[in-house]
Amino acid sequence: MSPINHDVDVELFIRLQQDDHAAYTEIYGKYSRLLYTHAYKKVGDRELARDLVQDLFTTLWLKRHEIIIKTAPSAYLYTALRNRVLDHVAHQNIASNYVSYLENYTLETNDLTDHLIRHKQLMQLIEQEIAALPEKMRQIFELSRKEHLSHKEIAAELGISEQTVRKQIQNALKIMRPKLSVILALIFLFEK
């Protein structure tokens, strides 16, 4: 692997912003493995690390005209990846806090019926969000989360690539996370 040359990187990012796909490919080739290793060390999950890096590079291409780099391009990429890792951890913490809250609530009160009603309402809201996904995305998401199939098994069952499966699940989570975060936040506010 060649050492990082900031002048070359700056030139690559300038070309990227001018819609040069070869520059994008070169940036990807130069940084994807390094970023994956960094993400894996932070999250400890190979598939999640791959998803985070893939999301970073997808966004890099889609928002290439909006990118303003005030530091070295490599620092920009690592910061963008760090933000994705932190977002993931924050979402995990919200879900984990809610589960802990439900467990404690059940232990601290005798009103199990109220707990079950709220749990059922939350599950209905989650199901509504899943049902609102585009059909193919919903099908893939349900096979992953409800049937617990691996990306490889889903790809084989639907006759599509594992990359497509991974991207569809990633997009589904991207659509659902903001909505579910708001729902969970409201539940915390009104139950205290």
Side-chain angles (χ1 to χ4, degrees):
M1 182 156 303
S2 60
I4 295 171
N5 180 330
H6 296 296
D7 292 336
V8 170
D9 284 355
V10 169
E11 178 62 32
L12 284 173
F13 271 78
I14 289 170
R15 288 174 41 209
L16 170 73
Q17 291 178 315
Q18 297 168 345
D19 302 329
D20 185 336
H21 199 271
Y24 171 79
T25 303
E26 198 170 331
I27 293 167
Y28 183 86
K30 189 173 186 177
Y31 286 103
S32 62
R33 184 169 290 193
L34 293 170
L35 291 168
Y36 165 77
T37 301
H38 185 71
Y40 178 67
K41 286 178 184 175
K42 298 293 181 193
V43 299
D45 180 320
R46 293 183 192 285
E47 200 165 288
L48 175 59
R50 257 193 305 273
D51 287 347
L52 292 170
V53 171
Q54 190 63 42
D55 179 59
L56 169 61
F57 279 100
T58 300
T59 303
L60 181 66
W61 179 254
L62 294 175
K63 297 192 174 182
R64 63 192 176 278
H65 300 292
E66 302 164 30
I67 295 172
I68 299 170
I69 299 178
K70 297 179 180 176
T71 62
S74 59
Y76 170 83
L77 291 171
Y78 278 97
T79 299
L81 180 63
R82 186 197 71 206
N83 291 339
R84 279 166 174 72
V85 169
L86 291 175
D87 285 347
H88 171 75
V89 169
H91 288 298
Q92 291 295 102
N93 286 342
I94 287 171
S96 175
N97 287 341
Y98 182 70
V99 169
S100 295
Y101 170 77
L102 286 180
E103 289 170 352
N104 291 334
Y105 180 80
T106 302
L107 293 173
E108 292 171 5
T109 69
N110 293 326
D111 196 356
L112 186 56
T113 305
D114 185 49
H115 163 71
L116 292 174
I117 289 170
R118 290 182 194 282
H119 187 299
K120 185 177 179 183
Q121 288 171 337
L122 177 62
M123 292 298 108
Q124 287 173 339
L125 289 170
I126 291 171
E127 287 301 320
Q128 286 173 3
E129 291 303 325
I130 293 171
L133 294 171
E135 184 178 345
K136 185 59 106 175
M137 185 184 293
R138 179 186 51 74
Q139 182 183 19
I140 292 169
F141 188 81
E142 288 180 335
L143 287 171
S144 171
R145 296 310 194 254
K146 291 182 179 177
E147 303 295 324
H148 307 291
L149 298 182
S150 69
H151 289 185
K152 188 174 190 174
E153 291 168 328
I154 296 169
E157 184 171 319
L158 300 178
I160 56 177
S161 71
E162 285 183 58
Q163 176 65 25
T164 300
V165 171
R166 185 176 298 114
K167 190 63 187 165
Q168 289 290 325
I169 291 172
Q170 185 180 41
N171 288 341
L173 291 171
K174 194 180 293 185
I175 290 168
M176 291 174 55
R177 275 181 183 142
K179 295 175 183 176
L180 293 178
S181 294
V182 169
I183 292 166
L184 290 173
L186 289 172
I187 287 170
F188 278 122
L189 285 175
F190 291 114
E191 292 213 359
K192 286 189 176 177

